[in-house]
Amino acid sequence: YGTSDHSAQVTPPSCAGVVFIAEQNAYGDTDFQKIKTQTFSPAPTAMSATGPESVEQTAAVFPSADSAGKFVKSSQNQWDVCAKSEVGVVLGFENGRGFTLGNVQRQGDVLTVAMASWGGLNGLHACQQALGARANVVVATRTCEEPSVPTYRPGDPVNPGWAVLDAERLARAML
């Protein structure tokens, strides 16, 4: 139920908190008190043509609203550094992908960033990550799905705009 450390799987390592949630490099130097992450992913046979193929959600409790707000601001600064670039992720032996990140958006109390990738073993993916705070609680969400892009050919550029805004909706509901 704590944080994870995927920094060895991400290039550059400082962007691990943008493509994974509940990351040690994002939460490690903060004063969070409790954190819990849940991941939901249907069995391959249960997957449908609509809706996300994976959903992750994290809630972290900080000692004060000020502390939670500082965490969101620090995260926004890190996301901005990583945005509009490609972040490499190794998911297992010889199984990696590069996520092309879009711009970081902030609407009210929620940050979002969309990303897309094409991996030879896993095909197209489009994800959205969201982060926000309410009082002393920070929530982070990530949703991913296989976008329907009928004209895509391997080697074509990917588009973060393919991401569905499910993570943002989930984060707002949690807040």
Side-chain angles (χ1 to χ4, degrees):
Y1 295 148
T3 59
S4 300
D5 185 3
H6 291 97
S7 60
Q9 296 172 270
V10 177
T11 306
S14 60
C15 294
V18 182
V19 294
F20 290 102
I21 64 174
E23 275 301 300
Q24 177 64 33
N25 77 349
Y27 288 86
D29 291 333
T30 70
D31 57 353
F32 80 90
Q33 297 172 323
K34 300 274 185 186
I35 190 167
K36 179 153 183 169
T37 298
Q38 294 177 311
T39 301
F40 305 94
S41 185
T45 57
M47 291 177 70
S48 69
T50 61
E53 64 185 48
S54 67
V55 175
E56 297 173 80
Q57 60 185 20
T58 293
V61 177
F62 285 78
S64 68
D66 183 57
S67 181
K70 285 180 182 175
F71 175 77
V72 172
K73 180 62 178 159
S74 169
S75 296
Q76 182 175 3
N77 292 341
Q78 185 58 49
W79 288 19
D80 283 338
V81 168
C82 298
K84 295 177 67 175
S85 66
E86 185 168 307
V87 176
V89 179
V90 176
L91 303 169
F93 182 70
E94 293 185 6
N95 184 5
R97 64 176 63 240
F99 281 99
T100 299
L101 278 63
N103 291 321
V104 176
Q105 306 290 320
R106 183 168 192 148
Q107 294 184 355
D109 53 0
V110 176
L111 298 175
T112 60
V113 65
M115 59 198 82
S117 69
W118 180 82
L121 294 175
N122 296 317
L124 284 175
H125 274 77
C127 304
Q128 185 192 42
Q129 183 138 315
L131 179 77
R134 178 77 38 92
N136 67 323
V137 176
V138 170
V139 300
T141 58
R142 178 178 169 84
T143 57
C144 295
E145 61 186 79
E146 188 174 317
S148 175
V149 186
T151 60
Y152 185 81
R153 292 180 313 223
D156 286 352
V158 295
N159 181 354
W162 295 334
V164 177
L165 308 182
D166 290 330
E168 180 178 2
R169 285 191 283 277
L170 177 58
R172 289 192 185 286
M174 290 173 71
L175 291 171

